[in-house]
Amino acid sequence: MAGLAQSGSNPDVELLYDINGLAKDAPSWFDRIMEFVGEYGLLLAMVLLVVWCWWSVRRRGGEEAASSVAALVWAPLAAGIAVLVNVPIRGFVERPRPFVNHEGLDVLVSGKTDFSFVSDHATITMAMGVGLFVAHRKFGLAGIGLALLEGFLRVYMGVHYPTDVIGGFALGTAVALLLSPLAMALLTPVMKAVERSPRAGRLIRRRSSATGQETLIPGTRKESADSEERDLAA
């Protein structure tokens, strides 16, 4: 392949041509689907996953509800901070998009004129996936899986080198984990204050359908029932 000949012994470029070559062999309708999924679909799926996790945490309630919701709030915040951190990184590295220096790529998305390293999409999805993992392990594993798929599709679409994606994964993970203790220390008291609110507290834990009141902390309902039994016995 001409592209591989131009790449020499650079494994980054070789892997780029190998993965992007799959797009050349695929039918055009499939590439259009992959273009939408890689550009918008997986980002939307990640947001829906966070909302689903919040709904699950809210229904479950319990003593850890406020801290779990705080971790969920941190997931998109971590993604936003990681993208901001990426701005000076891109300006410093100034790596052109792969289709600028390498011929024969099947580029599925047009209009990409900014620098390539690191991938914003990979950074955002991995930061949110790792943030989700802090809040809920099963949802977090699903989020990390979506991030890995996003990274693959960025190379498949011909808009990033594999190392752009790996750099995005590393940046998103670093921001989500390293700043997590500080974020949780700031967000958890806020979520606990929201939890105590008669109206906004429903964002943290659901109301009981039978009584219309907030779901109680485990043990509280039992203690109340024991107290009633003692009163009846008296």
Side-chain angles (χ1 to χ4, degrees):
M1 185 185 293
L4 287 176
Q6 291 178 0
S7 69
S9 59
N10 188 338
D12 193 24
V13 178
E14 291 181 3
L15 189 57
L16 165 68
Y17 275 101
D18 287 342
I19 296 176
N20 182 254
L22 299 175
K24 285 186 174 184
D25 298 333
S28 59
W29 62 265
F30 183 80
D31 282 347
R32 297 288 76 78
I33 294 175
M34 292 299 100
E35 174 188 349
F36 175 80
V37 172
E39 193 74 6
Y40 307 107
L42 288 176
L43 293 177
L44 177 60
M46 190 67 74
V47 172
L48 293 177
L49 189 63
V50 172
V51 173
W52 185 9
C53 185
W54 163 76
W55 187 258
S56 176
V57 167
R58 176 180 173 272
R59 290 186 61 189
R60 187 180 61 213
E63 297 180 359
E64 302 300 322
S67 60
S68 296
V69 174
L72 288 174
V73 172
W74 168 237
L77 289 178
I81 293 173
V83 170
L84 291 177
V85 173
N86 189 29
V87 172
I89 294 177
R90 279 193 168 193
F92 177 76
V93 177
E94 294 186 345
R95 186 184 201 182
R97 294 279 181 170
F99 52 79
V100 174
N101 295 327
H102 302 284
E103 298 178 354
L105 292 174
D106 188 8
V107 183
L108 303 186
V109 181
S110 60
K112 297 289 184 180
T113 58
D114 55 343
F115 294 120
S116 185
F117 186 88
V118 298
S119 167
D120 278 340
H121 282 71
T123 300
I124 291 171
T125 51
M126 186 55 75
M128 293 185 70
V130 173
L132 262 176
F133 188 81
V134 173
H136 194 288
R137 188 158 297 181
K138 290 184 179 179
F139 280 97
L141 289 175
I144 292 172
L146 289 178
L148 294 174
L149 178 58
E150 178 69 78
F152 174 83
L153 288 181
R154 300 312 287 176
V155 182
Y156 179 93
M157 295 159 63
V159 294
H160 281 291
Y161 294 94
T163 47
D164 298 336
V165 170
I166 294 172
F169 288 163
L171 177 59
T173 300
V175 170
L177 290 183
L178 294 180
L179 297 183
S180 177
L182 176 60
M184 293 300 293
L186 295 174
L187 291 172
T188 300
V190 175
M191 295 301 106
K192 288 183 177 179
V194 172
E195 184 181 21
R196 291 191 293 268
S197 172
R199 294 184 179 180
R202 285 177 289 186
L203 295 172
I204 309 300
R205 73 173 78 227
R206 69 181 178 89
R207 291 182 181 276
S208 171
S209 59
T211 63
Q213 297 184 359
E214 296 291 338
T215 304
L216 299 176
I217 296 174
T220 304
R221 189 183 300 277
K222 184 175 184 297
E223 292 172 4
S224 177
D226 290 343
S227 177
E228 290 180 3
E229 289 178 2
R230 287 196 296 268
D231 290 342
L232 292 173

